[in-house]
Amino acid sequence: MLSLRSLLCKTPKSSPFLCAFSTQSSTDASAAPETLTTSRYDELINKAGRNGDFDAVQSLLEQRGKHGLFCTNYTFKFISRDISKLDDLLAALSRIDQRFARKSAHDCLVARLSKLRHLPHALRVAEIVVREGYGSNAVTFHPILNELTKMRKFKEAWRVVEAMKDLKVRPDLTAYNYILTGYCYVRDLSSAAGVLTNLENEKLGADTRTYDALVLGACRDGKPDAALRLLIRMEDEGISPLYSTHAHIIGSMVRLGFHAQALEFVMTCSGRDLKLDYENFGTLATKLIYRKRFEDAKVVVKEMKQRGIEMGEKLKEFYDMHAIDEHDAAAGKTE
């Protein structure tokens, strides 16, 4: 097996940065070569990027690809401080031989630029991925759509969808779900209905995220009864709801003053999934406390105690101060 030193310095692509690193790593001849982890690769790539050593960036990305290690949100952190390095970075990425590494690196760069809200740059990189044949799929465009819909820039999001189609990249269900969720959040239900029409016309169906968005829209529109009907429909179709789907309903009921109904809903859903019970009971108790419905909250935390559902630190403190009864207090003293 080749040593790390020979692997890094044998090729003409090697750089002073990589050679210095490999020399440092092999100072002790008796020591085993360093096993590079995902975080260690990120560290080295960012150091090389800050130093302007893009040959090193290229080689490190190729090597992590050979080890099957995806890029992460931290891989191109250095670009956050200096966007002027983008063209040099793109040139380095274009020279990567390994297909997996090249696609992963470009997708990661799109995500980083999107998070920084350099969205025109992100779209430019996504278009390069498609035009250069690095791997044309909708996943590359997801971070852009996610940020645009978070910013409520729906016209721009639709332009990205059209750009995908122009590039012969079919928008997938996840792409439409980002837009649907954004519309539901701002209670633009007529536009949300238009997204559903798109899903039907393109025969993309619906998944748990689609229903989560619709439940969110119903709840933000003050219609928890409609949200409950959607939840029942999910169960009928064998689609498991997200924890957030339940949280939308609980939050809506509490906001509308339906405290007893909220507890009934949580109790009805209980006993199937311990993690779900923790989320639902905890969400309900926390929201009741926030609205100073202390008597109702006491009922919820007592139920949690009786069922052996773990409480967070703040709920446990509330229970100890307000809900613990004399029997529990006496039992605590004898232990």
Side-chain angles (χ1 to χ4, degrees):
M1 183 180 293
L2 290 175
S3 69
L4 183 61
R5 177 185 176 88
S6 62
L7 190 61
L8 295 180
C9 292
K10 184 176 180 180
T11 169
K13 295 178 182 177
S14 298
S15 67
F17 170 78
L18 281 177
C19 289
F21 166 70
S22 61
T23 302
Q24 181 182 5
S25 299
S26 58
T27 300
D28 183 357
S30 62
E34 179 184 6
T35 300
L36 297 184
T37 61
T38 297
S39 59
R40 181 61 174 149
Y41 269 118
D42 285 346
E43 180 185 343
L44 292 171
I45 289 168
N46 278 295
K47 183 176 180 180
R50 288 192 301 270
N51 292 337
D53 190 348
F54 290 96
D55 285 337
V57 171
Q58 174 195 344
S59 295
L60 287 163
L61 287 168
E62 286 179 341
Q63 295 205 34
R64 79 185 295 162
K66 290 175 183 176
H67 291 115
L69 298 176
F70 283 96
C71 295
T72 74
N73 292 332
Y74 300 99
T75 301
F76 300 120
K77 195 174 181 180
F78 69 88
I79 207 74
S80 307
R81 299 179 180 178
D82 190 358
I83 194 66
S84 68
K85 293 182 176 181
L86 179 59
D87 285 340
D88 290 331
L89 176 56
L90 285 172
L93 299 191
S94 70
R95 296 193 299 268
I96 295 175
D97 293 328
Q98 214 265 353
R99 182 178 177 84
F100 167 83
R102 187 171 57 233
K103 177 66 161 61
S104 174
H106 279 88
D107 284 353
C108 178
L109 181 56
V110 171
R112 165 57 63 175
L113 292 168
S114 298
K115 189 173 183 180
L116 294 171
R117 297 196 167 170
H118 290 309
L119 296 172
H121 290 304
L123 184 57
R124 173 191 167 202
V125 177
E127 289 175 343
I128 288 173
V129 172
V130 179
R131 295 186 193 282
E132 297 299 325
Y134 297 156
S136 56
N137 57 35
V139 173
T140 304
F141 296 83
H142 288 171
I144 304 172
L145 291 169
N146 185 28
E147 288 301 325
L148 285 171
T149 52
K150 282 181 181 178
M151 298 164 68
R152 315 303 170 214
K153 293 187 175 182
F154 298 108
K155 288 183 179 179
E156 290 84 346
W158 282 114
R159 288 193 196 107
V160 171
V161 170
E162 290 306 312
M164 293 170 68
K165 292 179 179 179
D166 290 342
L167 292 165
K168 309 302 181 187
V169 176
R170 186 190 183 201
D172 61 0
L173 180 56
T174 300
Y176 284 117
N177 279 345
Y178 283 126
I179 300 175
L180 178 65
T181 301
Y183 279 138
C184 288
Y185 186 85
V186 299
R187 293 186 289 180
D188 186 349
L189 300 186
S190 61
S191 294
V195 178
L196 293 178
T197 300
N198 279 65
L199 294 180
E200 184 177 356
N201 290 341
E202 298 186 27
K203 296 180 171 53
L204 291 173
D207 64 5
T208 185
R209 293 282 179 186
T210 312
Y211 276 104
D212 185 71
L214 295 175
V215 169
L216 171 64
C219 289
R220 288 188 64 81
D221 201 37
K223 298 176 181 175
D225 53 336
L228 287 171
R229 287 196 295 271
L230 284 166
L231 193 64
I232 292 170
R233 181 173 172 180
M234 289 181 73
E235 293 179 354
D236 290 343
E237 294 183 4
I239 300 175
S240 299
L242 301 171
Y243 294 146
S244 61
T245 308
H246 290 87
H248 298 326
I249 296 173
I250 295 166
S252 177
M253 288 180 170
V254 172
R255 281 194 304 274
L256 294 170
F258 301 149
H259 307 118
Q261 291 90 335
L263 178 58
E264 182 182 357
F265 170 70
V266 169
M267 296 280 284
T268 301
C269 295
S270 66
R272 310 173 194 173
D273 178 349
L274 186 59
K275 175 67 174 174
L276 178 62
D277 290 349
Y278 170 80
E279 295 289 339
N280 282 357
F281 279 96
T283 296
L284 177 56
T286 300
K287 290 184 179 298
L288 289 170
I289 293 170
Y290 176 77
R291 293 184 175 269
K292 302 187 186 307
R293 300 287 304 189
F294 299 126
E295 291 302 315
D296 292 323
K298 284 164 63 174
V299 173
V300 177
V301 293
K302 283 184 176 181
E303 187 69 29
M304 293 178 74
K305 182 70 173 179
Q306 182 178 345
R307 290 169 175 260
I309 300 172
E310 184 181 353
M311 299 181 203
E313 185 176 340
K314 290 185 178 179
L315 287 186
K316 190 175 186 308
E317 181 180 344
F318 176 84
Y319 177 84
D320 291 340
M321 291 181 63
H322 303 286
I324 192 168
D325 56 31
E326 294 181 0
H327 175 75
D328 290 335
K333 289 179 180 179
T334 60
E335 290 180 356

